[in-house]
Amino acid sequence: AQSVSQHNHHVILSEAASLELGCNYSYGGTVNLFWYVQYPGQHLQLLLKYFSGDPLVKGIKGFEAEFIKSKFSFNLRKPSVQWSDTAEYFCAVNARYGGSQGNLIFGKGTKLSVKP
Amino acid sequence: DGGITQSPKYLFRKEGQNVTLSCEQNLNHDAMYWYRQDPGQGLRLIYYSQIVNDFQKGDIAEGYSVSREKKESFPLTVTSAQKNPTAFYLCASSPGDFGYTFGSGTRLTVV
């Protein structure tokens, strides 16, 4: 069965620090990869996604992620975080079977707290 | 505006009662999903439906039931058999190829 691991449960950073959140998945085939963000009191929003092509994906609000197939990883990065980035971040994966997709499997999430 | 509407936003249930959470989409998506979110657990799949009149159990289906009589609608019933129903419930839809769209969620509390 597929699974998604997010290494950090809670990350605390000061403003302007660099961010990297780890995500590893277990599935040997072709996958779609996603990072979602949930700001306090708000619903889930898509930050970025990878389906194919350039493994370095740029998303909204200055976030990017790199797909490293050999490491089964899709880590999220941001060079300089802001207080407004305080949120919970979820990595998600689904398998691709030809033109269709499997169910979306989520990691347990990483809470990011940015100190002003 | 196309999207997913979940209602109500907040729901309170007495122990022993069944409650139904609504999920409606106007995106013309074939597939719909219900997830449960608990602190520190991420999102876990309850039920999903790839097509009208068909649905499948997800990872944590016990104590829940669904129906898919119309393409636009995928209601979730939390039954009295669900031992720990207090959670945040998210509905999603997908055209079946790439990407999911999520609703804004329903927070269910047992009182």
Side-chain angles (χ1 to χ4, degrees):
Chain A
Q2 298 168 55
S3 65
V4 179
S5 298
Q6 291 184 242
H7 312 302
N8 308 102
H9 178 61
H10 192 186
V11 172
I12 302 173
L13 296 172
S14 297
E15 275 194 318
S18 64
L19 170 71
E20 180 160 3
L21 301 182
C23 173
N24 287 89
Y25 64 93
S26 66
Y27 180 69
T30 305
V31 293
N32 298 328
L33 298 154
F34 306 82
W35 276 98
Y36 286 88
V37 61
Q38 190 172 38
Y39 297 102
Q42 296 189 28
H43 61 89
L44 217 58
Q45 299 175 40
L46 181 65
L47 262 184
L48 48 79
K49 60 190 177 187
Y50 172 81
F51 293 153
S52 63
D54 188 343
L56 185 61
V57 180
K58 294 196 183 299
I60 61 172
K61 305 188 181 188
F63 286 91
E64 64 178 31
E66 185 175 11
F67 171 47
I68 302 179
K69 189 174 181 180
S70 61
K71 295 185 178 180
F72 299 90
S73 71
F74 191 54
N75 292 355
L76 181 70
R77 300 195 292 248
K78 186 171 184 178
S80 175
V81 294
Q82 301 172 313
W83 177 79
S84 58
D85 292 324
T86 295
E88 190 158 16
Y89 293 80
F90 295 94
C91 181
V93 175
N94 64 0
R96 285 174 53 187
Y97 312 104
S100 62
Q101 61 182 357
N103 296 325
L104 197 60
I105 307 298
F106 283 84
K108 293 189 175 182
T110 297
K111 283 188 182 175
L112 172 64
S113 299
V114 180
K115 298 183 291 184
Chain B
D1 251 355
I4 296 183
T5 302
Q6 288 188 242
S7 61
K9 190 171 182 180
Y10 298 97
L11 186 57
F12 296 90
R13 188 195 94 171
K14 292 183 180 178
E15 287 200 27
Q17 280 183 338
N18 293 354
V19 288
T20 298
L21 284 59
S22 170
C23 177
E24 303 277 333
Q25 55 104 354
N26 60 4
L27 299 164
N28 200 33
H29 286 173
D30 287 316
M32 296 187 74
Y33 305 82
W34 275 105
Y35 286 88
R36 169 179 170 144
Q37 185 179 8
D38 296 282
Q41 295 290 324
L43 281 75
R44 293 178 290 170
L45 184 63
I46 305 173
Y47 267 98
Y48 63 100
S49 168
Q50 302 282 12
I51 197 168
V52 175
N53 292 323
D54 186 48
F55 49 83
Q56 307 294 330
K57 292 182 178 180
D59 299 321
I60 54 165
E62 185 175 350
Y64 300 97
S65 66
V66 293
S67 63
R68 186 87 187 276
E69 297 175 1
K70 298 187 299 182
K71 188 175 187 177
E72 303 79 23
S73 179
F74 191 41
L76 174 74
T77 296
V78 185
T79 74
S80 56
Q82 171 47 238
K83 298 304 177 192
N84 185 21
T86 294
F88 188 57
Y89 292 87
L90 281 164
C91 179
S93 72
S94 171
D97 194 0
F98 298 124
Y100 283 46
T101 301
F102 282 87
S104 57
T106 292
R107 187 165 298 280
L108 172 64
T109 304
V110 173
V111 296

